[in-house]
Every structure is written in structure tokens, then in C-alpha cells.
Amino acid sequence: MAVSGGAEWGPTGIDALLERVRGTYERVSPAQAYEESTAGGAVLVDIRYQALRERDGLVPGALVVERNELEWRLDPQGSHRLPEAVSHDLRVIVFCNEGYASSLAVASLHALGLHRATDMTGGYQSWRSEGHPTTGPGTGPADT
């Protein structure tokens, strides 16, 4: 069994795990993420894989760090960190395609001590459908 914050977590389904993880921090909406990032108070981090970025486009100014490299790139103590990973106090807003994988990624960043890390509800698809800036292919509103 995994131990987190002193509590034992036994076997569970993914929906229960997401609920449990999301209960440990406050998620932000695409509008909040846009506001924080444009004000300079947060770093947006896109963890979508390359095929999705090529298909749907990018968020201007977001760091692209695929999920399998996230911890190594954002750990302020790590030898493979990005220049932006300067402190455990860094405000990081992670997003994936729809807002599921990003929640699990935030749990991992919290375990590294990045206590201000959060994720964006609805992921890139919500960002795009709300009309926030995007570049590249598929930059119009999401087809729904």
C-alpha cells in the first residue's frame, strides 16, 4: 500500500483516486490559469504528448514538458531541471488534454515539495473552448 501524508491508501479505482488527490489542493479554471500566467504569477506547463500538441495546437508561453519528464524538469533540486524550476514555492499550473492526467501529475509534484502546484480543470480542451489564446493547428474553438 502507498503512504501519503501519513495516511495509508489501499487499492482503489481511478475515479476514487482522482477524487482523493483532487481533495488535497484547489484546482483552477482556464480563466484563472490565464489570469495568473499573464500576470506573471504562474508557469503554465503542458504535459500533453506530441501528437495532441501537433493536432490541437499550443498555449502561447506554456512550457512543454511531457508527462514522463515532469518531475525531473520541475524539481528545483534536480540535475535536469528547467531554468524556471528555481524554488519549491514556484506556482505551477499543469494541464493535459482534458484535466485527468494533470491531477495525478500534481500529486507527484506535491510529493516533490512543489506545494503551490495545481492543475487546470478541463485541460487544453476547456482552455481552447473558452477562447483563450492558442497557436498552431486546431486553434479555433473545440469541436463539440
Side-chain angles (χ1 to χ4, degrees):
M1 289 186 204
V3 177
S4 176
E8 279 195 32
W9 290 7
T12 188
I14 188 62
D15 292 331
L17 178 60
L18 278 171
E19 183 178 337
R20 186 179 299 149
V21 165
R22 288 173 176 169
T24 65
Y25 66 96
E26 190 171 325
R27 303 177 81 203
V28 297
S29 70
Q32 290 169 302
Y34 178 76
E35 184 177 308
E36 285 190 49
S37 65
T38 57
V43 175
L44 293 177
V45 179
D46 184 348
I47 64 170
R48 294 174 301 146
Y49 54 89
Q50 184 175 352
L52 287 176
R53 295 190 312 269
E54 288 174 355
R55 182 190 76 189
D56 293 339
L58 299 169
V59 170
L63 295 177
V64 173
V65 182
E66 290 197 22
R67 176 63 191 97
N68 63 327
E69 296 181 354
L70 185 67
E71 293 82 358
W72 283 266
R73 299 294 186 210
L74 293 182
D75 179 5
Q77 298 174 347
S79 59
H80 299 296
R81 71 182 174 273
L82 292 170
E84 293 83 358
V86 295
S87 142
H88 286 96
D89 199 40
L90 181 66
R91 175 65 163 171
V92 175
I93 301 174
V94 180
F95 65 93
C96 60
N97 196 48
E98 295 180 341
Y100 297 100
S102 58
S103 294
L104 298 176
V106 167
S108 184
L109 293 177
H110 284 181
L112 285 175
L114 291 157
H115 61 96
R116 296 182 64 217
T118 189
D119 74 324
M120 182 171 60
T121 58
Y124 179 85
Q125 296 305 323
S126 288
W127 174 278
R128 183 174 71 168
S129 69
E130 289 185 15
H132 299 293
T134 60
T135 62
T139 57
D143 296 322
T144 54

